[in-house]
Amino acid sequence: MKVLFVAGDPKPERWTVPIQALLPEAEVHVWDADGPAVDADYAIVWQPPEELFERETGLKAVFNLGAGIDGLLAVPNLPPNLPVVRLEDAGMSAQMAEYVLHQLLEASRGMETYREQQREGVWKIHRPIKRSEWPVGVMGLGHIGKRVARTLADLDYRVNGWARSDHSLDKVTTFAGADSLDAFLGSTRVLVNTLPLTDETRDILDHRHLSQLIPGAVVINVGRGEHLVEDDLLRAIDDGHVARASLDVFRQEPLPADHPFWQRPEITITPHISARTLRDATLEQITGKIRAHHNGEPITGIVDTSRGY
């Protein structure tokens, strides 16, 4: 069995050494743009070049180093029948739930108010939170979205979830399909986006949809930057409908220094850190699936490339 690592890391040995230890029966190779084909059986990739699929024509499956596979599916010559396997959790869902909860508490508990009081030497207690005033809507009910929704629901926030297809989740009211999106948004004050990026979800956070949220809304985007129409968010903030936004993903990363988001106190910016790939957990999962696939056993996480997730 030959495994090819294709991720553009300047120190690929950080990945290939543990891959070899976890798959001692395999030959592990690093992608060389100028080198010959290695006749790989499996490729472990992150935003691979087109040349990979021109050169390595015997691949049995490709494993993505992340849950988001839009970068891989954008490769124009990705073979249509080649199994694409996404990363399932590997420690990311807990991190994402932590991040979303932190941003929610910043808003619902008014933590900036208390920080400002500290700077001014003011001791003043504000009224306790009423969770009924902070209904949360989670867009996307994949593994990560479900973890986020469950975490918030367990803290007694009223949580709704919306996805393309039907889902059932304890303590969470679920909506499915485009026909239910308006009702979902109309019952949401804190909108959390965890959707995958597809043709159907691109630009979904536009002014029309943002304007359907409960006034004083909070937007938390941990999906993809391309989900958000940036000028529409600024417009929704200016017209007072959106009170604040916490953004971890952007159309252009790093976010340009002259981007207007930097100057808006209503917007919290973090540099795509809401859920980092944990190397050990990731490689244990991927190498386990490679071994299972090689042995003819079923594996989970295979992407429906026609749907984009």
Side-chain angles (χ1 to χ4, degrees):
M1 182 199 330
K2 294 183 180 180
V3 176
L4 182 60
F5 179 76
V6 192
D9 191 316
K11 295 182 178 179
E13 64 275 8
R14 294 183 292 191
W15 298 86
T16 55
V17 170
I19 290 171
Q20 187 68 77
L22 290 163
L23 277 177
E25 67 270 33
E27 293 181 24
V28 181
H29 300 264
V30 176
W31 170 258
D32 180 354
D34 300 318
V38 300
D39 298 323
D41 298 292
Y42 300 99
I44 301 173
V45 309
W46 181 251
Q47 297 181 340
E50 295 180 32
E51 291 78 13
L52 169 65
F53 302 108
E54 295 172 358
R55 186 187 306 175
E56 300 294 337
T57 58
L59 290 171
K60 299 174 183 176
V62 58
F63 292 79
N64 196 54
L65 280 172
I69 46 80
D70 45 285
L72 175 54
L73 296 186
V75 178
N77 62 345
L78 178 69
N81 296 319
L82 178 66
V84 172
V85 187
R86 61 178 172 82
L87 193 63
E88 295 179 289
D89 198 342
M92 290 189 292
S93 68
Q95 296 178 70
M96 195 74 81
E98 289 174 336
Y99 180 93
V100 171
L101 176 59
H102 175 84
Q103 302 303 331
L104 171 59
L105 294 178
E106 281 285 310
S108 66
R109 297 293 299 270
M111 301 310 295
E112 178 55 35
T113 298
Y114 289 108
R115 285 195 292 271
E116 181 62 29
Q117 289 181 187
Q118 179 181 346
R119 289 189 287 267
E120 297 177 356
V122 173
W123 181 280
K124 182 179 179 181
I125 298 174
H126 299 271
R127 73 176 178 86
I129 181 176
K130 291 184 179 179
R131 285 172 174 76
S132 60
E133 297 177 355
W134 294 91
V136 180
V138 179
M139 300 182 77
L141 292 174
H143 193 83
I144 288 175
K146 286 180 178 176
R147 179 65 177 268
V148 170
R150 282 196 299 263
T151 297
L152 303 184
D154 284 343
L155 290 172
D156 296 335
Y157 284 92
R158 191 167 79 242
V159 180
N160 297 322
W162 179 85
R164 178 176 175 176
S165 55
D166 289 321
H167 292 265
S168 178
L169 199 58
D170 287 345
K171 301 182 182 179
V172 177
T173 301
T174 56
F175 297 75
D179 291 343
S180 71
L181 181 56
D182 290 353
F184 165 81
L185 294 170
S187 61
T188 295
R189 182 175 179 185
V190 181
L191 181 65
V192 181
N193 176 44
T194 70
L195 287 167
L197 182 63
T198 67
D199 289 341
E200 290 75 23
T201 65
R202 190 181 305 275
D203 298 330
I204 194 169
L205 300 180
D206 59 10
H207 190 264
R208 184 177 78 83
H209 288 141
L210 295 175
S211 296
Q212 293 175 276
L213 300 171
I214 295 172
V218 176
V219 176
I220 303 173
N221 188 20
V222 291
R224 284 289 183 267
E226 292 86 347
H227 287 132
L228 176 66
V229 181
E230 295 178 345
D231 287 343
D232 286 6
L233 174 62
L234 293 173
R235 180 181 166 194
I237 291 173
D238 288 339
D239 65 25
H241 201 85
V242 172
R244 61 187 292 164
S246 297
L247 309 178
D248 187 56
V249 289
F250 304 90
R251 289 177 179 265
Q252 182 178 348
E253 296 181 3
L255 189 66
D258 61 351
H259 197 287
F261 282 174
W262 290 112
Q263 308 305 319
R264 299 304 296 257
E266 307 93 340
I267 297 177
T268 297
I269 294 169
T270 52
H272 207 142
I273 51 79
S274 57
R276 304 293 303 277
T277 300
L278 303 179
R279 186 181 297 117
D280 291 348
T282 294
L283 293 183
E284 287 177 8
Q285 181 182 137
I286 289 177
T287 55
K289 289 184 179 182
I290 288 175
R291 179 179 288 114
H293 191 276
H294 184 70
N295 291 335
E297 301 167 7
I299 61 174
T300 60
I302 297 177
V303 172
D304 182 345
T305 55
S306 66
R307 301 179 73 176
Y309 57 92

